[in-house]
Amino acid sequence: MSTPQRVALVTGGSRGIGRAVAARLAADGLAVAVVYRSQQAEADAVVAEVVAAGGQALALRADVADETEVAAAFDAAEAAFGGVDVVVHAAGLMILQPVVDLDLDALDRMHRTNIRGTFVVDREAARRVRAGGAIINLSTSVTRLALPTYAAYAASKGAVDAISLVLAKELRGRDITVNAVAPGPTATELFLDGKDDATVERLAQANPMGRLGTPEDTAEVVSLLAGRGRWVNGQTVYVNGGMA
């Protein structure tokens, strides 16, 4: 009897870490639903790359904070591929401001995407993911690095850690793992936006490895958690090259 193909749904899958995760999981043999909010051309490009390499993929539009749109994305993935085994929630918003100057509208926007979005995606994942599956939420190492201007973003991602660890316990008996993956400074458009070369170099040299992370560094760990790493559950896994 052949083993049914496993299926992954990746939010934020059109760019940055999400894109690298989608590509890696496809290379691992999973069919991949690439969920995007506004970057359709980029999402279509990811799908084209996966298909050209012999894999299966489709692009699905959804605002991760909209429960109706997220449910529709899961419906479409199940209709196309037969089910969902792995959910990687990589969609996120980062706005950096000192607390004293914090724009509360910006705080609300991050709350909606990073916190409400995680609840919405994880709630649907908890209802749909098949036994033997995994739910993986993208967090950040700045929750403990405590870098200036990152308070609001780190607070929203601290919520992601809490949601992940609690959900792992709530899914007792389902054979579904739930973990958060917390990258350090990573060379993505999201991270590099607004930073001058000196700031980027300073952050790179603050790492014992002497460089920024790459999206592929994080995708390697997600691949483990999505596949053979079944004894890692209810954890925040820091993927940051040793930054303290």
Side-chain angles (χ1 to χ4, degrees):
M1 178 181 291
S2 62
T3 302
Q5 184 177 33
R6 300 180 78 225
V7 179
L9 183 147
V10 182
T11 72
S14 64
R15 304 167 78 180
I17 291 174
R19 181 177 185 138
V21 166
R24 176 54 194 262
L25 294 181
D28 290 343
L30 282 73
V32 180
V34 179
V35 179
Y36 68 95
R37 185 179 66 85
S38 59
Q39 305 293 332
Q40 181 176 353
E42 287 86 345
D44 288 342
V46 177
V47 170
E49 290 173 9
V50 169
V51 172
Q56 291 183 277
L58 80 165
L60 301 170
R61 188 203 170 279
D63 175 349
V64 296
D66 185 314
E67 62 270 31
T68 301
E69 293 185 8
V70 168
F74 274 83
D75 286 342
E78 290 176 340
F81 301 129
V84 176
D85 301 283
V86 176
V87 172
V88 182
H89 179 43
L93 178 63
M94 181 169 66
I95 301 171
L96 304 181
Q97 295 173 336
V99 172
V100 69
D101 298 322
L102 182 62
D103 180 340
L104 295 180
D105 287 339
L107 177 65
D108 290 343
R109 288 170 58 202
M110 281 193 287
H111 184 287
R112 184 178 188 278
T113 298
N114 297 353
I115 301 178
R116 178 185 170 89
T118 301
F119 270 112
V120 169
V121 172
D122 280 13
R123 185 179 72 163
E124 206 62 41
R127 294 170 175 176
R128 309 258 197 151
V129 169
R130 296 184 287 203
I135 300 170
I136 302 161
N137 295 314
L138 267 291
S139 179
T140 176
S141 288
V142 299
T143 53
R144 66 181 189 183
L145 292 174
L147 299 176
T149 75
Y150 279 83
Y153 176 70
S156 72
K157 289 297 190 174
V160 172
D161 293 345
I163 295 165
S164 306
L165 275 54
V166 171
L167 182 58
K169 294 183 177 181
E170 292 179 347
L171 295 183
R172 173 186 289 272
R174 294 272 305 278
D175 190 24
I176 297 170
T177 62
V178 187
N179 293 286
V181 172
T186 302
T188 65
E189 183 178 343
L190 178 69
F191 173 78
L192 296 174
D193 184 43
K195 295 182 175 69
D196 58 29
D197 291 344
T199 299
V200 171
E201 180 63 17
R202 176 175 54 81
L203 288 168
Q205 293 308 314
N207 194 299
M209 304 296 286
R211 66 173 177 87
L212 295 179
T214 68
E216 290 73 23
D217 291 327
T218 301
E220 288 280 351
V221 176
V222 171
S223 172
L224 173 66
L225 296 175
R228 298 176 65 87
R230 301 300 301 166
W231 203 235
V232 183
N233 189 29
Q235 305 297 315
T236 297
V237 181
Y238 290 89
V239 186
N240 59 26
M243 286 189 82

